[in-house]
Amino acid sequence: VAIAPSDLLVMDLAADAKGKPRRVVIQLMPPPFSQGWIGNIRKLAASKFWDGTSVNRVQDNYVVQWGDATEKKVLLEGLAVVPESDYSRVLLDDVTPGFFSALEPGNTKSGIRDVPVVVDKDAYANNGLSYIFNGWPLASNGTQYWPVHCYGMVGVGRDLSPNTGTGAELYTVIGHAPRHLDRNIALVGRVIEGMEHLSSLPRGTGALGFYESAEERVPILSVRLGSDASGFPTYEYLSTESESFGKYADARANRRDPFFIQPAGGADICNIPVPVRRKAR
Amino acid sequence: VAIAPSDLLVMDLAADAKGKPRRVVIQLMPPPFSQGWIGNIRKLAASKFWDGTSVNRVQDNYVVQWGDATEKKVLLEGLAVVPESDYSRVLLDDVTPGFFSALEPGNTKSGIRDVPVVVDKDAYANNGLSYIFNGWPLASNGTQYWPVHCYGMVGVGRDLSPNTGTGAELYTVIGHAPRHLDRNIALVGRVIEGMEHLSSLPRGTGALGFYESAEERVPILSVRLGSDASGFPTYEYLSTESESFGKYADARANRRDPFFIQPAGGADICNIPVPVRRKAR
């Protein structure tokens, strides 16, 4: 499935110590998720809000966070204030008719259903389901569904409730999936290229992994929507509703290559990352 | 619970680009786990095997691996050849009498039992149990039990089966828990200090994250048992059989600090890391 350039966020960090460029590419989530925050992010990118800001926080086994460290930048007017209720969606057939009825028990294979791929008994969803649909990892408690915090997912930093953040302060997961953040904070996308430029940054030594001095911060040269970046590659992901994806998920749960002597017989939702690649021109 | 200095492995990497020392401290697992490999590791440390070797592989969201990149170092004679059956243990009351019978259903709180802390429905244990006992995260399918691959756990690199590795080649987990490695490879310990010196290393650009040039490798100055290292601090961990640990695990599953608006009601085994600290002298 082709990813529209307008659904990409392209962040260029300052070159590393050896002069090597560092580009991070983020895919924004499609409707019905987090569109209030994502609308803000599109506006912020269009206004070049992040140019000259920095990566300010790197907490080991948790998150890398970026935005305006000085908090002196005036935010764009007209940003949406998004309610907490948008952290999740009410469970209706509002994604694809018939989809959720297709999640009824049965037709499972090693705890993973082929299409859509379902993992049962998610500890973070009241032992409900987690599943991968329309290209994204989701969880459901039977009443609501929501995107989940896997490695590389991108979310919106916020202050205490009822603040939900604007989207000006973003983070990505660089450790074991912090699933306790699900439904507590908005997820807006995932890193699809250049993750190593964030995950390998020096850890901050201040509280919560914030850098203690301005010199430690990693400058952000620019952040642009993919549709506003020239000469930029295009990307595609493996359809999560395809038979191939069902086979891929089954292979993740039951490794059969020669290295493995004991297939696990299952996998958690964050160990079935959706394959994304550059599209051949 | 005090950690015996003889159960610590102290690895000093070459100083970083700014001249800052980089020390990594590993706690070795207690019986009944992996004692064949751990015996080898004690011998290798005593013989200074790792001095002058290097970190050779850094694969994003997976592992950092170290050992003798040249593979020219002659291994010590007298290292044990450990069978694959030692990747797990048969489920008997061989740890603490009465322990496993205490794991019967009931007495659960939000899916997590107080003491010992139990997480139900582990996808990597045929929907069996994962639990934390005697200081370590374990899983059980009702027949066997084994240590699990959480962030920071240390394991033994190996060639294809039936090779199980000697312990000369070690790795640690730097991403989402690769639980599919459970029962396929030996776990021997966990990093308890200095994890950031490994997790923040530049990712290798070769296959599987191996560094492509010798210059990229990170030199290891020395690896010593804690009992052979002078002026070295001592450590202690929170007893996993204590009431405090039960409360801690419950708090991990149901975050109640002001940031959270929606407690998860559960946690996976790798999101309940055992607290370890330096012991006051």
Side-chain angles (χ1 to χ4, degrees):
Chain A
V1 181
I3 301 173
S6 55
D7 285 341
L8 297 175
L9 207 57
V10 184
M11 173 163 70
D12 285 326
L13 304 178
D16 70 13
K18 292 175 180 164
K20 204 175 153 193
R22 292 185 282 191
R23 172 167 280 184
V24 178
V25 182
I26 294 162
Q27 178 189 6
L28 298 170
M29 294 195 82
F33 303 107
S34 303
Q35 295 300 298
W37 295 280
I38 290 171
N40 289 347
I41 288 168
R42 292 183 198 281
K43 286 183 183 174
L44 289 163
S47 76
K48 305 184 180 178
F49 170 79
W50 285 289
D51 297 15
T53 64
S54 53
V55 177
N56 306 313
R57 176 190 182 193
V58 185
Q59 185 171 358
D60 196 57
N61 192 20
Y62 204 45
V63 297
V64 169
Q65 191 170 324
W66 61 93
D68 178 24
T70 67
E71 295 186 1
K72 283 177 188 159
K73 273 209 163 193
V74 178
L75 281 183
L76 270 184
E77 290 192 14
L79 292 185
V81 176
V82 192
E84 292 179 337
S85 55
D86 277 14
Y87 290 149
S88 61
R89 304 285 301 180
V90 175
L91 189 54
L92 292 172
D93 271 356
D94 64 356
V95 177
T96 290
F99 169 62
F100 287 108
S101 57
L103 293 181
E104 292 300 308
N107 187 27
T108 60
K109 188 159 130 189
S110 302
I112 291 188
R113 192 175 337 210
D114 275 4
V115 179
V117 167
V118 175
V119 181
D120 287 329
K121 297 165 186 155
D122 187 318
Y124 294 92
N126 300 109
N127 290 316
L129 299 173
S130 49
Y131 51 95
I132 304 172
F133 182 66
N134 202 22
W136 295 85
L138 311 173
S140 170
N141 60 4
T143 309
Q144 294 165 297
Y145 64 102
W146 56 86
V148 304
H149 277 82
C150 295
Y151 190 91
M153 290 288 284
V154 174
V156 174
R158 65 165 170 87
D159 293 329
L160 291 184
S161 170
N163 183 291
T164 65
T166 59
E169 189 81 13
L170 297 172
Y171 65 88
T172 188
V173 173
I174 60 163
H176 187 71
R179 296 284 313 278
H180 50 280
L181 294 174
D182 296 357
R183 294 182 280 173
N184 282 290
I185 201 162
L187 284 170
V188 293
R190 66 178 158 221
V191 175
I192 61 170
E193 198 174 284
M195 182 65 186
E196 67 277 13
H197 301 310
L198 298 172
S199 58
S200 68
L201 290 175
R203 277 47 183 160
T205 49
L208 303 176
F210 279 94
Y211 288 134
E212 294 185 273
S213 64
E215 304 80 62
E216 293 173 281
R217 294 178 192 146
V218 182
I220 295 172
L221 303 179
S222 71
V223 176
R224 297 286 180 275
L225 283 173
S227 44
D228 294 334
S230 60
F232 189 64
T234 52
Y235 297 84
E236 58 190 1
Y237 68 89
L238 180 60
S239 167
T240 52
E241 285 63 63
S242 66
E243 200 176 326
S244 296
F245 190 82
K247 287 180 182 170
Y248 159 75
D250 183 69
R252 296 286 295 179
N254 297 286
R255 312 274 176 140
R256 294 181 188 89
D257 72 77
F259 186 81
F260 289 89
I261 59 171
Q262 172 70 57
D268 67 276
I269 197 74
C270 292
N271 259 331
I272 313 171
V274 176
V276 180
R277 67 181 179 192
R278 284 190 180 208
K279 195 174 172 179
R281 285 167 191 266
Chain B
V1 181
I3 301 173
S6 56
D7 286 340
L8 297 175
L9 207 56
V10 184
M11 174 164 70
D12 285 326
L13 304 177
D16 70 13
K18 292 176 181 164
K20 204 176 152 193
R22 292 186 282 191
R23 172 167 280 184
V24 178
V25 182
I26 294 162
Q27 179 188 5
L28 298 170
M29 292 195 81
F33 303 107
S34 305
Q35 295 300 297
W37 294 281
I38 290 172
N40 289 347
I41 289 168
R42 290 183 199 282
K43 285 184 184 174
L44 289 163
S47 76
K48 307 184 179 177
F49 170 80
W50 285 289
D51 297 14
T53 63
S54 53
V55 177
N56 307 312
R57 176 189 181 192
V58 184
Q59 185 172 358
D60 196 58
N61 192 19
Y62 203 45
V63 297
V64 169
Q65 191 170 322
W66 61 95
D68 178 24
T70 67
E71 294 186 2
K72 283 178 189 158
K73 272 210 164 193
V74 179
L75 281 183
L76 271 184
E77 291 193 11
L79 291 186
V81 176
V82 192
E84 292 178 336
S85 55
D86 278 13
Y87 291 149
S88 61
R89 305 284 301 180
V90 175
L91 189 55
L92 294 172
D93 272 356
D94 65 354
V95 177
T96 290
F99 170 61
F100 288 108
S101 58
L103 293 182
E104 292 300 308
N107 188 27
T108 60
K109 188 160 132 189
S110 302
I112 292 187
R113 193 176 335 211
D114 276 3
V115 178
V117 168
V118 175
V119 181
D120 288 328
K121 296 166 186 153
D122 187 318
Y124 295 91
N126 300 107
N127 289 317
L129 299 173
S130 49
Y131 50 95
I132 304 172
F133 183 65
N134 202 24
W136 295 84
L138 310 173
S140 170
N141 59 4
T143 309
Q144 293 165 296
Y145 64 101
W146 56 86
V148 304
H149 276 81
C150 295
Y151 190 90
M153 289 288 283
V154 174
V156 174
R158 66 165 170 85
D159 294 328
L160 291 184
S161 171
N163 183 292
T164 64
T166 60
E169 189 81 13
L170 296 173
Y171 65 88
T172 189
V173 173
I174 59 162
H176 188 70
R179 296 283 314 277
H180 51 279
L181 294 174
D182 296 356
R183 294 182 281 173
N184 282 290
I185 201 161
L187 284 169
V188 293
R190 67 177 157 220
V191 175
I192 60 170
E193 198 174 284
M195 182 65 185
E196 67 278 13
H197 301 310
L198 298 172
S199 57
S200 68
L201 290 175
R203 276 46 182 161
T205 49
L208 303 176
F210 278 94
Y211 287 135
E212 294 186 273
S213 65
E215 304 81 63
E216 292 173 282
R217 294 177 192 147
V218 182
I220 295 173
L221 302 179
S222 70
V223 176
R224 297 285 181 278
L225 283 173
S227 44
D228 294 335
S230 60
F232 189 65
T234 52
Y235 297 83
E236 59 189 3
Y237 68 89
L238 180 60
S239 167
T240 52
E241 285 64 63
S242 66
E243 199 175 326
S244 296
F245 190 83
K247 287 180 182 169
Y248 159 75
D250 182 70
R252 295 287 293 180
N254 297 286
R255 312 273 176 141
R256 295 182 188 89
D257 72 76
F259 187 81
F260 289 89
I261 60 170
Q262 173 70 57
D268 69 276
I269 197 73
C270 291
N271 259 332
I272 312 171
V274 176
V276 180
R277 66 180 179 193
R278 286 190 180 207
K279 196 173 171 181
R281 286 169 191 263

